């Protein structure tokens, strides 16, 4: 049994492998004594060596982990649960996202958390998690909330009113990039009730009844209810809703009634019973009443669609996790509506189609390919509801790309507000004012995330790392032109200039070459073949899958075949007439791998692709896939490089293939 601190030590060595660290530095990072770290290293030595690694010690330098057998070592990490099989984990390892996730658990889902358990789930050290929790504690303090511990469990303590205040401020306000707030700039849904009031009512009733909703789920409920009010105001009622009588006995039905009773007291008119039943359906789907395997299936399908949209149009929707989650939570009740032929008219449809025809057409074109929707005849009202999510994402992308500005004035608040209002009036679509400060309030922490400074005070005696515009407090036409000229020189695009999936580690040249050599060896070395005689498509695929099956479960090959067939239903796997890239709709293997077949004489795939020369089977891991994007980008680089294709076809063995394939990887950097 590996102790928790030993696990942290292994994780630390893995994160800085091939780099020496002294026992003192390791001890400091793990909050242990130097002697304890040396004892742990001695204890772990034989275990690491049995599983493909070695802990090397060098006097005057310290210790480092060297991995001799990557496959064996990865299997060791999997066996001892250093890698967690959870799709959502990849999205919560960055500090800000991790803190957001923890606050979701503590406040929206009202959970108590165990630091030891959560640190293992998130694959981070307990010391790092404790740092996050300390920062969360400081965030809660101004709201008169604190974190308390009961045995090993941490929870939020404080008045319910204070908790609600924090939830509204953190999860549902402008600075949280809440898509509902962005949608209000697109269209005023209803003057009858504000988004804030609706959000408070839903938070209150769901928390009191212990229905656990994430912030994205909560936002979708608010959006649904807002559109319901707008729809009813226009005389558009729901049709053909057919739910079992037993639904009235559920907790969700009772909560829906309480929510609607409170909303009715504000808006002054009554909801039909069908609307209460329909809100119940939303609460059921968003509180995980609808089966979890549908979530997983939709997640993979939506992700594939967003990748296709980004590849073909350049829009960076793939980066927007909130969009992905919002679409999944929207699609679940939408599928129920379509199955039951429930008609739900869209009060914003005409405006959506009139103001955003290209985006509406894009959503309709790509989402009609979604496997879960293909069998239905879908009307424009439904496509309009889906388009709203993309409109919100577009607005978010625009806001993210606004230049972040700090305004500096003398001590007078009146002049500061005057300049702030003038800047907003002139540049609202191009800049985001981060703060307005007096001359003596400038601190280094304010300057870390801004793009430039607009100041009515002469700052020429100070040195800043960002541009400074000295302007009149009235912001003259000359001032406006100076700032406008600077903004025009900035590259501010919603479309991708470079594929974000191709991000590579920043390493020194020698280290980088060693890194990509290691990656190609790990993923392809045992899974490469050159077809020296005529073979059928099935024979080549069967051979590659046999190679990929090494160190996998006995059902790996069968599951891969099924998942590859599922993926072909979703879209093309041909990169060109010569290159085919089969891959599973869902990950199957324990380890990331790529099977490669080079066929110099060509292979008959089907009538549309009679001469395929390259087959790359991508087999992602169910755990982590840090280097697959780099490999697939290299395959993309091969498409138009006919000279490289000819060179690869002449390769006689893996070593020759590897040297050429590395050039394709470097080409994408």
């Amino acid at each position: 049994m590996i102790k928790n601190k030993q696990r942290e030590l292994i994780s630390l060595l893995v994160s800085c492998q091939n780099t020496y660290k002294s026992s003192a530095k390791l001890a400091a990072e793990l909050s242990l004594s130097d002697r304890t770290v040396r004892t742990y290293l001695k204890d772990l030595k034989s275990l690491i060596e049995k599983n493909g690694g070695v802990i090397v010690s060098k006097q005057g330098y310290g210790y480092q982990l060297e991995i001799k057998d990557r496959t064996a070592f990865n299997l060791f990490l999997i066996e001892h649960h250093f890698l967690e099989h959870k799709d959502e984990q990849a999205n919560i390892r960055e500090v800000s996202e991790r803190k957001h996730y923890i606050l979701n658990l503590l406040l929206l889902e009202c959970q108590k958390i165990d630091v030891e358990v959560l640190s293992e789930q998130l694959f981070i050290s307990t010391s790092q998690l404790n740092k996050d929790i300390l920062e969360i504690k400081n965030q809660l303090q101004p709201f008169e909330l604190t974190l308390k511990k009961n045995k090993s469990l941490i929870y939020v303590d404080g008045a319910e009113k204070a908790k609600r205040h924090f939830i509204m401020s953190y999860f549902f306000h402008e600075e949280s990039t809440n898509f509902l707030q962005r949608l209000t700039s697109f269209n005023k849904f209803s003057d009858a009730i504000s988004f804030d009031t609706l959000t408070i009512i839903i938070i209150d009733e769901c928390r009191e009844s212990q229905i656990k909703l994430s912030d994205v789920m909560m936002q979708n409920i608010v959006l649904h209810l807002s559109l319901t009010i707008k729809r009813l105001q226009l005389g558009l009622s729901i049709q053909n809703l057919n739910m079992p009588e037993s639904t009235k006995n559920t907790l969700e039905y009772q909560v829906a009634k309480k929510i609607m009773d409170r909303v009715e007291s504000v808006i002054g008119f009554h909801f039909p019973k069908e609307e209460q039943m329909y809100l119940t359906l939303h609460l059921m789907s968003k509180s995980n009443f609808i089966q979890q395997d549908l979530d997983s299936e939709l997640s993979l399908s939506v992700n594939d669609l967003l990748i296709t949209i980004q590849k073909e149009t350049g829009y960076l929707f793939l980066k927007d996790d909130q969009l992905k989650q919002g679409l999944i939570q929207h699609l679940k009740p939408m599928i129920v509506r379509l199955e039951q032929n429930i008609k739900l008219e869209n009060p914003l449809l005409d405006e959506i189609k009139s103001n955003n025809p290209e985006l509406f057409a894009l959503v309709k074109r790509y989402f009609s390919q979604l496997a879960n929707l293909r069998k239905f005849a879908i009307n424009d009202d439904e496509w309009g509801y889906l388009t709203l999510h993309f409109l919100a994402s577009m607005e978010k992308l625009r806001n993210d790309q606004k230049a972040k500005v700090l305004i500096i004035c003398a001590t007078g608040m009146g002049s500061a507000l005057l300049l702030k209002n003038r800047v907003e009036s002139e540049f609202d679509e191009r800049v985001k004012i981060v703060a307005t400060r007096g001359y003596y309030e400038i601190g280094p922490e304010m300057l870390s995330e801004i793009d430039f400074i607009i100041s009515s005070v002469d700052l020429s005696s100070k040195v800043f790392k960002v541009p400074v515009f000295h302007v009149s407090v009235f912001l003259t036409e000359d001032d406006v032109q100076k700032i406008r000229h600077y903004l025009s020189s900035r590259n501010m695009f919603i479309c991708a200039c470079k594929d974000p999936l191709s991000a590579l580690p920043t390493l020194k040249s020698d280290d980088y070459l060693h890194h990509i050599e290691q990656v190609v060896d790990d993923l392809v070395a045992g899974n490469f073949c050159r077809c020296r005689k005529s073979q059928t498509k099935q024979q080549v695929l069967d051979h590659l899958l046999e190679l990929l099956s090494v160190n996998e479960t006995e059902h790996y090959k069968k599951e891969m075949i099924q998942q590859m067939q599922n993926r072909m239903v979703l879209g093309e796997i041909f990169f060109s007439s010569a290159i085919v890239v089969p891959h599973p709709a869902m990950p199957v293997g324990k380890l990331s791998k790529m099977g490669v077949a080079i066929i110099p004489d060509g292979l008959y795939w089907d009538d549309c692709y009679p001469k395929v020369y390259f087959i790359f089977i991508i087999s992602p891991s169910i755990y982590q896939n840090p280097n697959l994007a780099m490999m697939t980008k290299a395959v993309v680089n091969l498409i138009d490089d006919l000279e490289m294709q000819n060179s690869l076809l002449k390769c006689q063995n893996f070593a020759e293939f590897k040297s050429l394939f590395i050039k394709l990887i470097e080409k994408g950097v």
Side-chain angles (χ1 to χ4, degrees):
M1 181 73 176
I2 304 174
K3 297 177 182 176
N4 197 54
K5 282 293 181 182
Q6 289 177 324
R7 293 173 62 81
E8 291 182 31
L9 177 56
I10 293 172
S11 297
L12 188 54
L13 290 170
V14 169
S15 68
C16 60
Q17 61 187 277
N18 300 319
T19 302
Y20 282 102
K21 278 210 170 194
S22 68
S23 57
K25 282 186 178 179
L26 291 169
E29 292 198 41
L30 296 171
S31 302
L32 295 171
S33 68
D34 196 335
R35 182 178 176 181
T36 302
V37 165
R38 289 199 301 273
T39 301
Y40 281 166
L41 287 165
K42 185 179 177 183
D43 293 343
L44 292 170
K45 188 173 184 292
S46 60
L47 178 66
I48 297 294
E49 287 175 354
K50 284 178 187 174
N51 290 282
V54 59
I55 298 174
V56 180
S57 61
K58 187 174 181 181
Q59 192 170 3
Y61 289 85
Y63 301 86
Q64 75 169 5
L65 173 68
E66 287 185 6
I67 299 173
K68 302 296 186 182
D69 184 337
R70 176 72 60 175
T71 299
F73 193 77
N74 282 348
L75 288 170
F76 161 74
L77 293 179
I78 292 167
E79 180 187 350
H80 291 277
H81 307 290
F82 284 91
L83 305 177
E84 284 293 328
H85 180 194
K86 287 193 176 183
D87 294 337
E88 70 268 22
Q89 313 265 298
N91 297 324
I92 55 178
R93 290 195 186 103
E94 290 299 323
V95 176
S96 61
E97 291 178 341
R98 192 166 61 233
K99 282 160 56 181
H100 187 94
Y101 175 74
I102 294 167
L103 282 164
N104 245 307
L105 294 178
L106 289 169
L107 284 159
L108 289 178
E109 300 191 17
C110 304
Q111 291 191 28
K112 296 180 179 180
I113 61 172
D114 184 313
V115 172
E116 295 281 336
V117 172
L118 191 58
S119 67
E120 290 187 12
Q121 288 176 347
L122 301 183
F123 193 48
I124 60 169
S125 67
T126 54
S127 57
Q128 177 58 60
L129 188 54
N130 279 320
K131 287 179 186 175
D132 295 340
I133 288 171
L134 181 60
E135 289 181 28
I136 287 171
K137 188 175 182 180
N138 292 334
Q139 277 182 279
L140 293 170
Q141 197 171 14
F143 295 83
E144 298 183 356
L145 297 171
T146 188
L147 293 178
K148 286 195 174 179
K149 196 169 186 178
N150 180 10
K151 296 180 181 178
S152 63
L153 299 177
I154 292 173
Y155 63 96
V156 176
D157 184 59
E160 276 301 311
K161 186 177 179 181
K163 290 178 184 177
R164 187 173 76 180
H165 185 192
F166 179 85
I167 289 169
M168 288 298 297
S169 175
Y170 180 82
F171 290 105
F172 301 103
H173 235 269
E174 184 179 1
E175 289 307 309
S176 70
T177 61
N178 166 20
F179 85 87
L180 294 176
Q181 299 295 337
R182 292 192 296 278
L183 277 175
T184 59
S185 64
F186 162 71
N187 187 286
K188 300 292 183 185
F189 285 106
S190 172
D191 297 327
I193 190 169
S194 70
F195 275 123
D196 282 355
T197 304
L198 272 179
T199 305
I200 289 168
I201 291 172
I202 292 167
I203 288 171
D204 283 353
E205 298 303 335
C206 289
R207 278 171 54 79
E208 187 176 325
S209 302
Q210 296 187 328
I211 290 181
K212 297 176 180 180
L213 302 178
S214 72
D215 56 324
V216 174
M217 293 175 180
M218 195 87 70
Q219 288 165 6
N220 269 25
I221 296 284
V222 176
L223 175 59
H224 156 71
L225 206 46
S226 302
L227 286 165
T228 297
I229 294 167
K230 183 73 172 178
R231 184 162 44 77
L232 292 173
Q233 285 178 325
L234 296 173
L236 306 172
S237 59
I238 195 167
Q239 298 175 28
N240 302 335
L241 183 60
N242 181 26
M243 293 190 59
E245 277 296 310
S246 59
T247 306
K248 294 181 179 179
N249 301 323
T250 64
L251 173 64
E252 286 83 2
Y253 183 82
Q254 300 306 317
V255 172
K257 185 176 188 308
K258 290 179 181 178
I259 289 171
M260 289 197 156
D261 286 347
R262 287 183 61 179
V263 174
E264 284 176 353
S265 69
V266 177
I267 63 177
F269 61 82
H270 293 287
F271 289 101
K273 287 295 181 185
E274 291 81 5
E275 300 292 349
Q276 182 179 327
M277 193 66 87
Y278 190 55
L279 178 58
T280 302
L281 171 63
H282 272 265
L283 288 169
M284 283 177 166
S285 67
K286 290 167 175 51
S287 60
N288 302 323
F289 181 88
I290 291 180
Q291 63 270 28
Q292 292 299 306
D293 56 345
L294 178 59
D295 274 27
S296 178
E297 180 187 344
L298 284 173
S299 178
L300 287 163
S301 299
V302 167
N303 202 62
D304 268 348
L305 272 183
L306 295 180
I307 289 171
T308 304
I309 290 171
Q310 180 163 306
K311 183 180 174 183
E312 295 185 8
T313 69
Y315 283 118
L316 296 176
F317 293 128
L318 186 62
K319 293 174 66 178
D320 190 344
D321 284 329
Q322 193 174 48
L323 170 66
K324 283 189 275 189
Q325 292 304 314
L327 287 170
I328 292 163
Q329 297 309 323
H330 178 91
L331 284 165
K332 288 192 290 182
M334 178 181 171
I335 290 167
V336 175
R337 289 198 298 271
L338 294 170
E339 287 174 341
Q340 297 191 11
N341 197 30
I342 298 170
K343 305 296 184 186
L344 196 65
E345 294 184 72
N346 190 331
L348 303 177
L349 180 61
D350 290 342
E351 191 159 356
I352 292 168
K353 291 173 74 171
S354 172
N355 295 340
N356 302 273
E358 297 87 358
L359 189 60
F360 180 81
L362 180 146
V363 171
K364 191 171 180 178
R365 173 190 167 198
Y366 284 99
F367 274 77
S368 60
Q369 302 171 25
L370 198 69
N372 304 77
L373 302 182
R374 279 183 191 156
K375 61 182 179 181
F376 300 111
I378 302 173
N379 60 35
D380 281 357
D381 292 290
E382 292 288 3
W383 295 126
Y385 284 122
L386 272 174
T387 305
L388 281 174
H389 291 272
F390 285 89
L391 283 170
S393 184
M394 292 274 283
E395 189 65 27
K396 179 181 177 182
L397 286 166
R398 289 190 186 99
N399 283 335
D400 287 346
Q401 291 172 351
K402 285 183 178 181
K404 296 175 179 63
V405 178
L406 173 65
I407 291 180
I408 298 174
C409 291
T411 54
M413 280 301 295
S415 61
L417 285 173
L418 175 60
L419 181 55
K420 178 176 180 286
N421 290 337
R422 289 283 291 121
V423 171
E424 285 178 340
S425 175
E426 289 289 346
F427 302 106
D428 185 50
E429 294 299 315
R430 304 293 300 277
V431 306
K432 178 181 180 181
I433 298 172
V434 175
T436 303
R437 292 289 183 267
Y439 178 77
Y440 296 104
E441 297 175 313
I442 307 171
E445 71 284 353
M446 293 178 196
L447 305 175
S448 61
E449 294 185 358
I450 64 165
D451 296 304
F452 64 92
I453 295 169
I454 296 176
S455 173
S456 63
V457 181
D458 186 358
L459 301 177
S460 57
S461 61
K462 289 181 173 282
V463 177
F464 297 97
K465 293 181 180 178
V466 295
V468 178
F469 294 94
H470 181 204
V471 301
S472 161
V473 71
F474 298 103
L475 200 68
T476 66
E477 185 58 32
D478 286 344
D479 296 332
V480 170
Q481 290 306 321
K482 281 190 296 186
I483 297 169
R484 192 160 281 155
H485 178 74
Y486 170 72
L487 289 171
S488 297
S489 69
R490 285 167 49 90
N491 290 324
M492 302 172 71
F493 302 108
I494 291 175
C495 292
C497 299
K498 189 174 182 179
D499 188 348
L501 297 178
S502 64
L504 297 170
T506 305
L507 302 171
K508 295 177 182 177
S509 55
D510 290 344
D511 290 338
Y512 174 65
L513 183 58
H514 175 75
H515 168 74
I516 58 177
E517 285 178 346
Q518 187 68 57
V519 168
V520 177
D521 281 339
D522 291 344
L523 270 63
V524 185
N527 314 308
F528 173 85
C529 70
R530 184 178 189 275
C531 299
R532 302 180 187 279
K533 60 181 182 179
S534 178
Q535 289 181 289
T536 67
K537 173 180 75 171
Q538 198 55 49
Q539 286 173 322
V540 176
L541 290 176
D542 194 62
H543 179 59
L544 284 179
L545 287 170
E546 284 294 332
L547 296 175
L548 291 167
S549 297
V550 176
N551 291 316
E552 298 291 353
T553 65
E554 60 178 314
H555 303 297
Y556 170 84
K557 184 176 176 182
K558 181 180 177 182
E559 290 176 7
M560 272 291 286
I561 291 170
Q562 180 60 54
Q563 289 300 328
M564 283 161 57
Q565 289 172 347
N566 293 347
R567 181 62 187 83
M568 281 187 268
V569 171
L570 293 174
E572 289 286 358
I573 59 170
F574 293 92
F575 278 33
S576 74
S577 60
I579 302 169
V580 62
V581 187
H583 56 285
M586 293 177 64
V588 172
K590 291 186 287 185
L591 304 170
S592 297
K593 299 176 186 177
M594 178 188 278
V596 178
I598 293 178
I599 310 117
D601 295 329
L603 175 148
Y604 176 82
W605 190 275
D606 58 28
D607 289 344
C608 296
Y609 298 92
K611 280 281 185 181
V612 169
Y613 294 96
F614 302 94
I615 299 176
F616 297 90
I617 296 185
I618 308 293
S619 177
S621 165
I622 59 176
Y623 298 101
Q624 294 177 358
N625 300 285
N627 299 306
L628 274 185
M630 177 173 74
M631 301 292 283
T632 53
K633 184 61 184 287
V635 178
V636 171
N637 290 335
L638 180 62
I639 295 171
D640 298 319
D641 195 335
L642 299 181
E643 185 179 344
M644 178 61 80
Q645 289 185 26
N646 290 329
S647 299
L648 283 171
L649 289 173
K650 295 173 185 175
C651 289
Q652 298 299 309
N653 51 48
F654 172 70
E656 292 178 10
F657 166 83
K658 173 181 164 183
S659 64
L660 292 173
F661 197 78
I662 285 172
K663 291 179 181 178
L664 288 169
I665 293 174
E666 291 176 321
K667 182 179 175 182
V669 178

